[in-house]
Amino acid sequence: MMKQVIAEIQADLSLTLDKGQMEILLRVLEQRLLPLETVDDSKELQGNMLPMFISAKRVEGCSDKSLRYYESTIRNMIESIDKSECLITTEDLRLYLDEYQKRGTVSKVTLDNVRRILSSFFAWLEDEDYIVKSPVRRIHKVKTGKTVKETYTDESLEIMRDHCDNTRDLAMIDLLASTGIRVGELVKLNRNDIDFENRECIVFGKGNKERKVYFDARTKIHLQRYISEREDDNDALFVSLLKPFDRLQISGVEIRLRKIGRELNLHKVHPHKFRRTLATVAIDKGMPIEQVQQLLGHQSIDTTLQYAMVNQNNVKESHRRFIG
């Protein structure tokens, strides 16, 4: 703990004092502060921070998948730096991120995800008074740049619907396209979750947060037809096509959609693209961004804006109306 304090003081004064003054400062700080920290306390804390942090995130409602990602990312950092969590400095983390980037083909998005997770961990240590100040504070967000991500055209959606040789795939594509739900939310749905009268259903999103989503009349018809044709008694809304008719898993949905994409020669057919398409179309047609945010279940409106693209034709038309 005291070594962390000394390191932070040195960092704060590094631009003010020369080398000789810094050496004197270090000796004085070590003489005055290190005796205040007991060896027993340091040993007791070392190595226990990560499990406590993961427990705190679990209480906050993080999914098991997110917890595993948090734990592996932070553990890799600790093992690489080989220091107690409370003694890690900004310089240690900068060097670690630099080496992490050099190891392989790591994208800037991935690198910033690592930085963000480390920031969350050390901010928690600061909030819990295990350290004075998070060493990630002075490590800025990695500039990732913006890429235009594809969406489905109306034509490609119709081609996929026409290509379906069973009612399950047709209902599944319709539900993904009209609700914009995550594939993880799709596979958790049960038959009794669907309110056909009001054309809506309750889904459980990230952190087990529930929200209401809505589907169109075509989806209603295809869902009802699919359910009426089923001969199994599984509660799941979507099941495998063959016995024993188990609940469809995320990988099953992804594999099925990829197969349809290959057969139709469509580029990158996957579940998440339906979600991005819905967000883009909704905003393009004038739906308030706050409502799109609620529909998609995003905690931050910035996330919603990342999903949505602006139709360039509309920009041109607006320029003519308001400026040209």
Side-chain angles (χ1 to χ4, degrees), residues 83-101:
K83 278 186 180 181
S84 171
E85 299 96 316
C86 297
L87 302 180
I88 291 173
T89 65
T90 301
E91 288 69 27
D92 293 329
L93 293 174
R94 282 204 181 107
L95 287 172
Y96 171 74
L97 291 173
D98 186 41
E99 290 300 322
Y100 186 91
Q101 186 174 215

Side-chain angles (χ1 to χ4, degrees), residues 181 185-186 189 201-205 209-213:
I181 58 176
E185 297 166 344
L186 177 86
L189 282 171
C201 59
I202 300 292
V203 297
F204 290 89
K209 294 177 182 176
E210 66 175 45
R211 74 180 188 284
K212 190 175 290 187
V213 297

Side-chain angles (χ1 to χ4, degrees), residues 52-214:
M52 287 192 289
F53 171 72
I54 295 300
S55 295
K57 300 303 287 184
R58 185 179 291 110
V59 170
E60 291 176 11
C62 284
S63 67
D64 290 339
K65 181 180 178 181
S66 295
L67 292 175
R68 288 193 297 270
Y69 186 38
Y70 270 77
E71 185 170 15
S72 63
T73 302
I74 298 168
R75 190 176 300 283
N76 288 340
M77 177 273 298
I78 294 172
E79 291 176 354
S80 177
I81 295 177
D82 195 24
K83 278 186 180 181
S84 171
E85 299 96 316
C86 297
L87 302 180
I88 291 173
T89 65
T90 301
E91 288 69 27
D92 293 329
L93 293 174
R94 282 204 181 107
L95 287 172
Y96 171 74
L97 291 173
D98 186 41
E99 290 300 322
Y100 186 91
Q101 186 174 215
K102 291 177 182 177
R103 280 182 216 152
T105 54
V106 178
S107 69
K108 290 184 178 181
V109 173
T110 300
L111 187 67
D112 193 60
N113 283 339
V114 173
R115 181 205 61 82
R116 180 175 49 80
I117 289 173
L118 298 182
S119 177
S120 177
F121 174 58
F122 284 102
W124 177 82
L125 289 177
E126 180 182 331
D127 290 341
E128 297 293 320
D129 293 329
Y130 291 119
I131 60 176
V132 174
K133 186 172 73 173
S134 167
V136 189
R137 282 195 185 187
R138 291 187 288 129
I139 300 178
H140 302 298
K141 185 181 186 300
V142 179
K143 294 181 180 179
T144 56
K146 292 184 178 180
T147 57
V148 176
K149 296 184 178 180
E150 295 180 1
T151 59
Y152 295 119
T153 63
D154 291 340
E155 182 180 352
S156 62
L157 287 173
E158 287 303 320
I159 290 174
M160 281 190 278
R161 290 186 179 103
D162 290 343
H163 183 74
C164 291
D165 57 4
N166 61 81
T167 55
R168 185 204 66 178
D169 289 353
L170 181 57
M172 185 169 68
I173 286 174
D174 277 338
L175 192 62
L176 285 169
S178 63
T179 62
I181 58 176
R182 302 177 177 95
V183 63
E185 297 166 344
L186 177 86
V187 298
K188 290 178 184 177
L189 282 171
N190 292 325
R191 300 192 212 195
N192 57 13
D193 291 329
I194 308 299
D195 181 351
F196 286 106
E197 183 178 351
N198 295 303
R199 299 209 310 256
E200 61 187 37
C201 59
I202 300 292
V203 297
F204 290 89
K206 292 183 177 181
N208 285 326
K209 294 177 182 176
E210 66 175 45
R211 74 180 188 284
K212 190 175 290 187
V213 297
Y214 311 93

